[in-house]
Amino acid sequence: MANEPKVALVTGAAQGIGRGIAHYLLEKGWRVALFDIDESAGLQSLEQLPEGRAATFIAGDVSNENDVRHGIERTLDWGGRLDALINNAGLADPHSGPLEDLSLTDWQRRLDVNLTGPFLMAKHAVKALRNAKGTIVNIASTRALQSEPQCESYAASKGGIAALTHALAMSLGPDVRVNSVSPGWIDVRAQQADAPTNLKPLPASAHEQHPAGRVGKPEDVGALVAYLISPEASFVTGQDFVVDGGMSRKMIYE
Ligand code: NAD
């Protein structure tokens, strides 16, 4: 087992940041199981990989316990081990409208996918992760820390991720390390299944407002995840890491 390439399971890997993380880890020599509710986008993501990359796609809904159990079993059947679980799948649109009109069903769906999903994944992956002395990275958001109006269910789900992360780190250590990553604005338009070939560049003002001088890319998240799941991060657990080009450190009083 020690000489085999390590196996990561990335949820929401068909598109967006998850696709970026999966492709980044594959480039670094990981074997990667891509898990997503969108089967056609997932298979497309798999097809776009360079020849010889060790990846598989598993269709499923992170908020459905049977799908999660099946996803972990399929990953182990395919890869024989599980070293890293990346809980990235989410309903990524933060806007849910005026509070008075936010239905309990809408509120619960965001909580189910964004927060219950990572709990179910961790629950069913923990035995294999313990065996491998593995790690979990949960993708939260800077919206766990700051808000604009009408984002209650998304913000609550991401705040929950940050808290779930340190709770899991206490329960699963020292065998399994658990951290979260909170991205700011990551441009994922090119990583969508239906991305047009002639994407317009973002306006200069979008980049210039960032202290780092640009909007984020999926690889920015991939690089941080790759570090957190590596042996170099063996003293790092229970933490949240912001990757937002410095936006959440800016004074914004008018
Ligand atoms: P995206 O919509 O491009 O990709 C999300 C992926 O998750 C899709 O492939 C989708 O099919 C999948 N998914 C949705 N519900 C699922 C479910 N129930 N089960 C399995 N898969 C499911 O979104 P993104 O922008 O890449 O966001 C990815 C993660 O990063 C999300 O958790 C999001 O909240 C977080 N995030 C994104 C940004 C950003 O600027 N893009 C910023 C902060 C946090």
Side-chain angles (χ1 to χ4, degrees), residues 94 139-148 151-152 154-163 166 180-184 239-244 246-250 252:
I139 305 301
S141 167
T142 47
R143 287 171 186 272
L145 308 166
Q146 54 184 166
S147 285
E148 62 183 333
C151 295
E152 279 71 19
Y154 185 86
S157 71
K158 295 301 185 177
I161 288 276
H166 59 69
S180 59
V181 169
S182 284
Q239 303 299 323
D240 180 64
F241 295 86
V242 171
V243 51
D244 73 343
M247 280 302 280
S248 57
R249 289 298 191 200
K250 238 171 115 166
I252 54 163

Side-chain angles (χ1 to χ4, degrees), residues 11-19 35-38 41 60-63 87-93 109 113-114 139-143 154 158 181-188 191-192:
T11 71
Q15 299 171 100
I17 293 175
R19 183 191 288 212
F35 183 96
D36 203 288
I37 200 168
D38 187 335
D61 177 348
V62 293
S63 68
N87 282 314
N88 159 84
L91 298 177
D93 178 1
R109 185 66 191 146
V113 176
N114 293 6
I139 305 301
S141 167
T142 47
R143 287 171 186 272
Y154 185 86
K158 295 301 185 177
V181 169
S182 284
W185 180 1
I186 306 296
D187 183 11
V188 294
Q191 284 75 28
Q192 301 305 312

Side-chain angles (χ1 to χ4, degrees), residues 17-217:
I17 293 175
R19 183 191 288 212
I21 295 170
H23 288 210
Y24 192 95
L25 296 182
L26 283 160
E27 258 179 48
K28 297 286 167 203
W30 284 74
R31 289 183 287 154
V32 181
L34 295 80
F35 183 96
D36 203 288
I37 200 168
D38 187 335
E39 186 160 15
S40 72
L43 293 173
Q44 188 204 74
S45 173
L46 206 57
E47 275 165 24
Q48 288 173 351
L49 289 170
E51 192 98 351
R53 295 281 195 260
T56 189
F57 174 74
I58 303 162
D61 177 348
V62 293
S63 68
N64 178 311
E65 191 158 13
N66 281 332
D67 286 6
V68 168
R69 195 181 289 113
H70 175 248
I72 303 293
E73 283 168 8
R74 281 271 318 275
T75 303
L76 292 172
D77 287 347
W78 170 75
R81 56 191 285 168
L82 180 61
D83 300 275
L85 167 65
I86 320 300
N87 282 314
N88 159 84
L91 298 177
D93 178 1
H95 302 283
S96 47
L99 184 60
E100 304 89 307
D101 302 333
L102 175 55
S103 71
L104 184 55
T105 309
D106 282 2
W107 164 271
Q108 263 166 350
R109 185 66 191 146
R110 268 206 187 69
L111 271 285
D112 282 351
V113 176
N114 293 6
L115 182 57
T116 306
F119 148 67
L120 289 174
M121 277 284 167
K123 173 182 166 182
H124 290 282
V126 72
K127 188 169 169 223
L129 288 171
R130 275 207 175 102
N131 287 341
K133 302 275 183 278
T135 62
I136 299 175
V137 176
N138 297 317
I139 305 301
S141 167
T142 47
R143 287 171 186 272
L145 308 166
Q146 54 184 166
S147 285
E148 62 183 333
Q150 303 187 350
C151 295
E152 279 71 19
S153 51
Y154 185 86
S157 71
K158 295 301 185 177
I161 288 276
L164 175 66
T165 296
H166 59 69
L168 286 173
M170 296 307 111
S171 303
L172 307 187
D175 292 338
V176 179
R177 294 182 301 104
V178 188
N179 291 290
S180 59
V181 169
S182 284
W185 180 1
I186 306 296
D187 183 11
V188 294
R189 295 173 304 153
Q191 284 75 28
Q192 301 305 312
D194 55 2
T197 44
N198 56 344
L199 260 182
K200 277 206 189 119
L202 292 169
S205 59
H207 296 293
E208 285 161 5
Q209 66 180 308
H210 286 76
R214 65 170 175 84
V215 170
K217 300 181 273 195

